[in-house]
Amino acid sequence: ASDVYKRQTRCIRDQEEGDGTRTPIIALTADALVGDRERCIDSGMDDYMTKPVRAAQLAAAVQRWVGSEPVLG
């Protein structure tokens, strides 16, 4: 799975090169196995969340990486 994470993350990061942007990548997964968070972060993702996700948790993660309060609802 970590090779898939790395390939997917690299694809996004490659698209960012040259334009000065960085897209926050937050892994959202049903897997909650020991080490999953570390594998996602090590592959270049910025954050990790497991399902089920509450709206407030998602809003906090978006705010943490984008810096503005998301509109929910």
Side-chain angles (χ1 to χ4, degrees), residues 16-69:
E16 295 169 339
E17 286 184 15
D19 66 9
T21 64
R22 179 166 171 93
T23 302
I25 301 173
I26 302 171
L28 177 59
T29 180
D31 294 331
L33 302 174
V34 173
D36 281 345
R37 177 178 176 70
E38 291 76 17
R39 279 189 285 280
C40 289
I41 301 300
D42 288 346
S43 72
M45 295 181 192
D46 299 297
D47 211 338
Y48 173 88
M49 300 177 75
T50 57
K51 295 178 186 175
V53 175
R54 290 186 166 74
Q57 291 172 307
L58 182 58
V62 170
Q63 185 174 9
R64 184 168 44 250
W65 293 103
V66 177
S68 61
E69 183 117 4

